[in-house]
Amino acid sequence: MKNIYSNIYKNSPKNLNIAIKILKKNNIIVVPTETVYGIAGNAYSKYAVKKIYKLKNRPKKNPLIIHYRDISSVKKDAKINDRFKKLYKKFSPGPITYILEKKKKSKICKLANAKLNTIAVRFPKHNSIRNLLKKIDFPLAIPSANIAGKISPVSPGDVIDEFGKKISFILDGGRSQVGLESTVVNLFGKTKILRPGAITKKHLKEVLRERLTTFKGSKKIRSPGLLKKHYSPGIPIKLNSKKGNNKVAFITFGKKYKNGKNIFNLSSKGNLNEAAKNLYKILRKIKNSQFKSINVAKIPNKGIGVAINDRLRRAAK
Ligand code: TXA
Ligand code: MG
């Protein structure tokens, strides 16, 4: 059944079949995942992949994450190694992306991985997208469903806020549970966290039992999503602030602050997972209101707080 918005489709077997038909014609759709909503297209089709880049206005040199149903389906496209097997066993399906060496024979469209010799692979956990992946024989290229550089969507309404009616099919999977994009970890060469997320450095270390570095940015862009400016609500953001006013929205965290006209608490319980889930919702709400700028209180830099601070720093650039 369709929703009041003509392009939002409830998750049902019938609608999944419609989604599959669209994908098989090398057209694109929006799908829910546990992290954020994404724009999905056949990763083997240059037609589908081109449509994704065009819709997002995404720079061609920023590669896409390829989404698979399981480890056996990834083997034809990427060389798997021991570190990958260990992490996969522990964390997949789930909010983590692995950078692996691309196989020469792989059919992944060259545009999808920006002609690199690596590909980013992920196994999403959300039921709808998993069911979809189980019914098709090609992987899906799925970047976040936002215009390049803007805030990622965590609900079908957010996708409409980004693209209006430009997308004919949005699969409704409810609110994204994690609310921040997957952790990206490089496993071709040195193990390195390229983008922090819900799976933290500590989680990875416990499995790999090795030293791990976090990519801090360099002139040569390893993971273009680590471009300094990203996730932007389009108004100035100041970090580590103590208050706001009626023109300045104040994003806070923890028991000390009550929600108010200009006060937006990420989690009044002081729960970082809840804060992560609320971050993009709140940034989008503020973007769509009258505030001229945003002040953000200090957010604890532990667990998923590292990822929250990473996104806020980039949004503030
Ligand atoms: O949670 C997520 O990962 C979401 C959902 C929809 O799955 N997707 C997502 O995709 O965040 P996107 O395109 O917004 O971010 C992909 C990130 C970018 O930072 C990109 O540069 C990096 O992954 N990436 C992709 N392929 C890469 C590669 N071969 N080497 C290094 N980084 C890569
Ligand atoms: Mg993105």
Side-chain angles (χ1 to χ4, degrees):
M1 279 299 266
K2 284 190 181 184
N3 196 285
I4 43 162
Y5 292 106
S6 59
N7 51 355
I8 300 178
Y9 289 76
K10 283 267 165 264
N11 180 7
S12 69
K14 187 176 150 228
N15 287 341
L16 269 192
N17 284 334
I18 298 176
I20 291 166
K21 265 196 194 143
I22 301 175
L23 290 170
K24 282 188 174 162
K25 285 186 186 147
N26 298 328
N27 283 320
I28 58 181
I29 61 173
V30 167
V31 292
T33 87
E34 69 279 14
T35 56
V36 298
Y37 274 69
I39 305 171
N42 179 350
Y44 291 154
S45 158
K46 72 173 184 214
Y47 302 104
V49 170
K50 266 188 186 162
K51 286 173 193 163
I52 295 176
Y53 276 88
K54 187 163 175 230
L55 181 69
K56 276 184 65 82
N57 193 20
R58 182 174 176 114
K60 293 269 184 331
K61 60 173 193 247
N62 192 359
L64 308 177
I65 298 175
I66 315 300
H67 294 59
Y68 292 86
R69 101 191 98 188
D70 58 18
I71 196 166
S72 64
S73 53
V74 89
K75 281 180 182 162
K76 55 188 179 299
D77 292 321
K79 290 189 189 163
I80 63 174
N81 56 36
D82 283 346
R83 282 174 292 171
F84 169 66
K85 281 189 217 159
K86 280 187 202 159
L87 294 174
Y88 176 90
K89 206 168 157 196
K90 181 86 183 177
F91 301 117
S92 295
I96 181 166
T97 295
Y98 312 98
I99 307 296
L100 298 173
E101 187 180 2
K102 188 184 176 185
K103 275 194 177 163
K104 290 239 159 60
K105 291 185 303 198
S106 160
K107 289 193 293 184
I108 297 294
C109 149
K110 288 201 170 69
L111 179 61
N113 75 323
K115 296 185 180 159
L116 297 170
N117 58 351
T118 54
I119 54 172
V121 307
R122 169 158 133 74
F123 310 85
K125 193 172 186 170
H126 194 292
N127 257 335
S128 311
I129 178 73
R130 271 186 73 70
N131 287 340
L132 199 63
L133 285 165
K134 280 180 194 159
K135 288 187 175 167
I136 52 180
D137 56 3
F138 49 86
L140 295 173
I142 318 183
S144 51
N146 53 283
I147 296 176
K150 304 288 191 224
I151 307 165
S152 298
V154 291
S155 70
D158 296 352
V159 177
I160 295 190
D161 188 47
E162 284 291 304
F163 294 111
K165 290 193 169 161
K166 279 191 191 161
I167 293 168
S168 61
F169 189 100
I170 301 171
L171 187 61
D172 187 353
R175 178 86 174 266
S176 297
Q177 284 305 305
V178 178
L180 293 179
E181 301 83 351
S182 60
T183 304
V184 178
V185 57
N186 179 59
L187 299 176
F188 179 52
K190 231 179 175 179
T191 312
K192 208 181 272 178
I193 296 174
L194 300 180
R195 178 173 74 184
I199 310 283
T200 63
K201 191 174 187 174
K202 188 164 162 251
H203 291 135
L204 297 174
K205 267 185 170 170
E206 273 165 16
V207 174
L208 295 175
R209 304 195 169 279
E210 61 166 303
R211 268 183 67 102
L212 262 171
T213 52
T214 303
F215 177 77
K216 291 275 163 42
S218 74
K219 284 194 181 126
K220 190 169 169 261
I221 298 168
R222 277 299 305 265
S223 193
L226 295 182
L227 286 170
K228 287 214 170 111
K229 187 177 169 64
H230 204 348
Y231 317 108
S232 167
I235 52 175
I237 300 187
K238 206 173 105 202
L239 304 180
N240 299 323
S241 303
K242 294 223 159 63
K243 58 176 195 243
N245 58 47
N246 46 17
K247 286 195 180 126
V248 181
F250 186 36
I251 297 182
T252 63
F253 174 82
K255 297 187 180 85
K256 224 168 95 188
Y257 304 94
K258 289 214 168 67
N259 278 310
K261 257 191 197 149
N262 71 320
I263 301 176
F264 301 84
N265 200 326
L266 292 171
S267 168
S268 45
K269 286 183 275 190
N271 178 319
L272 284 167
N273 291 321
E274 183 179 55
K277 187 174 169 182
N278 286 334
L279 179 67
Y280 290 154
K281 263 281 172 236
I282 288 177
L283 283 175
R284 191 174 292 279
K285 194 167 173 189
I286 297 171
K287 171 193 87 121
N288 290 333
S289 57
Q290 304 302 316
F291 295 105
K292 298 272 180 289
S293 66
I294 306 174
N295 285 351
V296 187
K298 203 167 174 172
I299 315 286
N301 203 43
K302 56 177 192 219
I304 199 170
V306 173
I308 296 175
N309 283 314
D310 167 76
R311 304 307 190 273
L312 282 169
R313 260 197 313 277
R314 288 173 218 287
K317 282 280 167 186

